[in-house]
Amino acid sequence: MPDAVPDPVAVQPVVAPLTNAALILVGTIEPGGEDAVRDMLPDLPAVARSLGFRYPDAGLACVMGFGSEAWDRLFAGPRPAQLHPFRELRGPRHHAPATPGDIIFHIRAERMDVCFEWAAQLLDRLGGAVRIVDETQGFRYFDHRDLLGFVDGTENPVGADARSAALVGDSDPEFAGGSYIIVQKYVHDLASWNALTTEQQEMVIGRTKFTDIELPDDVKPADSHLALNTITGPDGTERDILRANMPFGSFGEGEFGTYFISYAADPDITEQMLRNMFLGSPPATHDRILDFSTAITGSSFYAPGADFFDAPPPAPALAGAEVLPEPASAPAPRATDPAMVPDEGSLRIGSLQESAPR
């Protein structure tokens, strides 16, 4: 039975449609920067509303997630049940590295300038508390193709199925509405790839290139990308994740690839796919796509529900602190005291809302 997501529940726009542009920022929190990160969290929804109001047709959506170690630095109390660091994989021929990442911003819009403005607003609030260790600007390539020339995301669930695949439900009720994120940056060897015939490429992927039709089981190789990324449960039903992959490239750097983004209610589904790809699943020794695509990053995060940002859990140092009574001799605060004057510049209101299902 699918993990049911309570309704209504405020969620980040995890299942927002793919857009023409995306900006993915992975950062590490500098020592002592925890308070600045926590102080920024209530501002996140207001920045979304401000930019969404100014650019209503931009399709702006941003998801923020936290790494396992960062969660313990930022928040006291319960943790998401399956949050853990990215698990490095070393296969006979290929390697999936684990790279630093305390927080992630996955920003999507139809315009890159709107993505840029969102990032600028957030990073300005963070000051020097966060160091960006990986920045990727993604773009839509023709009819949702990757730079290998194949349509990417054909089997993505939609509507209610997308919510079920991507959002935590009643299996972890305290964190219902959140999602586990796994990201990897893959760099393609396009010269070697383009040296293959179309038919050879199709055997690597498991689909036809131009018509995007899955190859029959008796034709599709066991080490094809599609074969190794199809995960079934004990009852034989296919277990889904939601992919938000984007192509990226730089002619100056000579770097071209795919930024893999997985949203899942159960991160083990994505992790099983990666184990199949890098460690093999007999009779396949590895995913053939890895002979042409090299993983250079790998990080895991948890994106909480939208209400989380309105009232984050207490900081670890404050979790068990005793609240002392105010001395009897202390004067009552006056309306002119700074602590009593409303902050007219505050953006700490509201919550993120899920975009309409595709």
Side-chain angles (χ1 to χ4, degrees), residues 120-344:
Q121 292 278 352
L122 298 182
L123 295 179
D124 181 65
R125 285 164 168 76
L126 289 171
V130 169
R131 181 169 65 94
I132 301 302
V133 295
D134 187 57
E135 174 181 352
T136 303
Q137 295 187 22
F139 55 88
R140 177 180 289 169
Y141 191 56
F142 298 114
D143 50 339
H144 294 290
R145 294 182 184 268
D146 57 29
L147 296 186
L148 301 178
F150 284 76
V151 175
D152 193 3
T154 302
E155 299 300 327
N156 252 357
V158 297
D161 290 337
R163 285 176 56 89
S164 178
L167 302 177
V168 174
D170 50 19
S171 63
D172 193 6
E174 190 160 357
F175 293 96
S179 186
Y180 292 96
I181 309 173
I182 293 178
V183 299
Q184 292 176 295
K185 179 184 282 189
Y186 286 88
V187 175
H188 304 323
D189 179 356
L190 291 181
S192 297
W193 178 256
N194 291 331
L196 301 179
T197 66
T198 297
E199 290 75 16
Q200 289 172 325
Q201 292 177 355
E202 290 174 342
M203 290 297 165
V204 172
I205 301 299
R207 284 185 174 278
T208 58
K209 187 171 186 177
F210 298 110
T211 58
D212 188 37
I213 303 298
E214 183 176 346
L215 298 178
D217 289 341
D218 59 349
V219 174
K220 181 172 51 190
D223 62 357
S224 67
H225 184 62
L226 189 59
L228 289 173
N229 279 265
T230 300
I231 307 298
T232 56
D235 59 356
T237 58
E238 188 169 340
R239 304 185 70 196
D240 289 327
I241 62 173
L242 185 66
R243 296 171 176 84
N245 302 350
M246 292 293 278
F248 67 90
S250 169
F251 293 100
E253 298 292 333
E255 186 177 83
F256 308 93
T258 297
Y259 199 97
F260 169 73
I261 305 178
S262 160
Y263 288 106
D266 180 357
D268 186 63
I269 302 173
T270 310
E271 292 169 342
Q272 183 60 57
M273 293 177 179
L274 297 182
R275 289 192 291 269
N276 289 353
M277 290 177 63
F278 287 87
L279 306 182
S281 178
T285 59
H286 67 277
D287 189 329
R288 276 275 285 142
I289 201 173
L290 298 179
D291 295 338
F292 307 93
S293 297
T294 300
I296 61 174
T297 70
S299 304
S300 297
F301 306 91
Y302 180 77
D307 288 344
F308 180 93
F309 297 94
D310 292 329
L318 301 178
E322 180 182 359
V323 180
L324 299 177
E326 187 177 356
S329 58
R334 296 173 299 164
T336 55
D337 286 346
M340 299 296 290
V341 177
D343 180 4
E344 298 298 338

